[in-house]
């Protein structure tokens, strides 16, 4: 039998040691104090009835930890902290990178990438990948030469021909980075989306939608059976760069920042977890999206992840290490990362969404 109060105190201790924000620590200390006054029976009854949060000092997160603890499981929040505690993060990031078998978000010169598909594929082979999902943009992103339905059909034929010529043990997966439109629908026909191996859905326009509207929009997208991965979910742009990256990027504009869009991340990540969708950890230096705070929230929600490069050129396929470094800081482990799976398992997972299963 676990002691839920001891678990809350342990979490507070680990947060303090990691020098996390005081308000986060206080949430656990206050909950431990509030619940410490109850008898075991009162605690169990309240947890069963879902009334723990009626007590002053007990919030939804701490109540969930208590419920997990009473059920005999290590609270997810605690597990995340223990996963990063004392770990050599460089080693952990390298281990996660080594566990990745492919990349689920890349662009070619069919949309706004700089290189032909075959060059991207050969670079992926050299990096040791088993697969590369080609996810060029969708029609309405005209600035990025989004593919019309007709061009995407041609691309599918082209990829089939390339795959026939590529080395055994490697394949290009078909895909798209489909725009999540203002009403939450996806910017490509259902018939074509159904044919693709991997569908990444991203918001590129109307990033300043108000919170309620953006939340509805994203919930509509992640609950759509045709979406597999939620791409760069906040749309933010940052000016800081990881070590070794100095340039402003290849996107034809100078380094500029953009705040994250506003949405109810807890609700969106809960929907991702429920429907078996992956939250992308976008490795691009100018994106670093989602921010670490949100990656932690997604870990706590029980989400899967995809550590993607969003590469627009072959050399950028090596940027996964940036995403891995951020992921391990937040307690993401390889077992929760869909592109650490072999291609067959990845494809089972995406096929499960189309047939209405969580996968
Ligand atoms: Zn994008
Ligand atoms: Zn992209």
């Amino acid at each position: 039998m676990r002691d839920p109060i001891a678990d809350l105190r342990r979490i507070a201790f680990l947060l303090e040691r990691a020098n996390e924000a005081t308000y986060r620590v206080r949430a656990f200390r206050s909950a431990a104090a509030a619940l410490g006054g109850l008898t075991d029976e009162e605690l169990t009854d309240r947890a069963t009835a879902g009334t723990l949060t009626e007590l002053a000092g007990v919030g939804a997160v701490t109540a969930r930890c208590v419920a997990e603890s009473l059920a005999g499981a290590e609270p997810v929040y605690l597990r995340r902290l223990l996963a990063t505690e004392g770990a050599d993060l460089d080693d952990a990031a390298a281990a996660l990178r080594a566990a990745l078998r492919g990349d689920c978000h890349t662009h070619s010169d069919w949309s706004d990438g700089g290189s032909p598909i075959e060059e991207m594929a050969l670079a992926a082979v050299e990096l040791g990948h088993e697969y590369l999902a080609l996810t060029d943009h969708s029609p309405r992103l005209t600035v990025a030469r989004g593919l019309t339905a007709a061009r995407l059909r041609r691309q599918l034929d082209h990829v089939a021909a390339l795959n026939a010529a590529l080395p055994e043990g490697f394949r290009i997966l078909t895909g798209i980075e489909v725009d999540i439109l203002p009403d939450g629908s996806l910017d490509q026909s259902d018939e074509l989306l159904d044919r693709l191996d991997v569908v990444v859905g991203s918001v590129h326009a109307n990033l300043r939608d108000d919170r309620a509207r953006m939340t509805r929009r994203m919930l509509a997208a992640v609950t759509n059976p045709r979406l597999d991965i939620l791409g760069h979910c906040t749309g933010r742009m940052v000016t800081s760069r990881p070590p070794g990256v100095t340039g402003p990027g290849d996107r034809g504009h100078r380094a500029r920042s953009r705040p994250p869009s506003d949405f109810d991340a807890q609700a969106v990540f809960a929907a991702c977890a429920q429907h078996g969708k992956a939250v992308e950890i976008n490795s691009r230096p100018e994106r670093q999206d989602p921010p670490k705070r949100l990656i932690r929230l997604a870990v706590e929600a029980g989400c899967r992840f995809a550590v993607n490069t969003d590469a627009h050129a072959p050399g950028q396929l090596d940027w996964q290490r940036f995403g891995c470094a951020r992921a391990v800081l937040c307690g993401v482990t390889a077992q929760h990362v869909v592109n650490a799976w072999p291609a067959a398992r990845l494809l089972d997972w995406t096929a499960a969404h189309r047939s209405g299963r969580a996968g």
Side-chain angles (χ1 to χ4, degrees), residues 72-90:
E74 188 168 67
V76 175
Y77 203 106
L78 178 58
R79 200 187 316 150
R80 168 178 77 71
L81 290 168
L82 291 171
T84 51
E85 183 209 30
D88 183 323
L89 291 172
D90 289 344

Side-chain angles (χ1 to χ4, degrees), residues 92-314:
L96 179 58
R97 170 62 192 87
L100 299 182
R101 295 165 180 260
D103 198 325
C104 292
H105 183 169
T106 69
H107 298 273
S108 73
D109 61 4
W110 283 60
S111 64
D112 61 346
S115 298
I117 300 166
E118 39 274 63
E119 281 181 30
M120 296 294 287
L122 289 173
V125 170
E126 275 170 29
L127 281 172
H129 284 334
E130 294 168 23
Y131 52 87
L132 179 80
L134 175 65
T135 56
D136 277 317
H137 289 287
S138 65
R140 279 184 234 194
L141 204 63
T142 47
V143 290
R145 298 183 61 233
L147 273 60
T148 59
R151 287 182 69 218
L152 180 54
R153 283 200 189 88
R154 273 209 303 284
Q155 186 181 68
L156 294 180
D157 291 340
H158 184 54
V159 168
L162 287 175
N163 269 333
L166 280 164
E168 185 126 1
F170 177 86
R171 68 188 276 198
I172 304 166
L173 303 180
T174 60
I176 189 170
E177 181 183 15
V178 68
D179 256 52
I180 297 174
L181 297 171
D183 66 356
S185 62
L186 304 179
D187 181 29
Q188 190 47 275
S189 72
D190 289 351
E191 171 258 325
L192 262 173
L193 292 174
D194 280 341
R195 283 181 62 190
L196 301 173
D197 294 326
V198 178
V199 174
V200 177
S202 309
V203 170
H204 290 114
N206 301 73
L207 283 158
R208 300 275 74 81
D209 269 359
D210 70 43
R211 183 177 174 87
R213 187 186 299 257
M214 185 61 95
T215 303
R216 273 199 307 279
R217 182 179 179 187
M218 293 175 76
L219 285 174
V222 300
T223 56
N224 185 321
R226 296 184 171 88
L227 180 145
D228 303 309
I229 298 170
L230 178 61
H232 52 68
C233 66
T234 79
R236 75 167 183 171
M237 292 284 176
V238 296
T239 49
S240 63
R241 291 287 181 269
V245 174
T246 49
D250 65 313
R251 310 295 298 283
H253 54 70
R254 298 160 70 86
R256 63 195 161 93
S257 66
R258 182 167 67 204
S261 56
D262 188 18
F263 60 93
D264 181 344
Q266 209 144 4
V268 169
F269 294 156
C272 286
Q274 189 194 338
H275 294 268
K277 307 302 174 69
V279 174
E280 175 180 81
I281 295 175
N282 189 295
S283 304
R284 293 194 67 82
E286 81 279 18
R287 286 196 182 272
Q288 304 181 32
D289 195 6
K292 291 199 284 289
R293 180 180 65 81
L294 290 190
I295 299 177
R296 292 193 183 102
L297 206 60
V299 170
E300 284 153 23
C303 292
R304 293 189 168 120
F305 295 91
V307 182
N308 291 334
T309 61
D310 196 357
H312 287 66

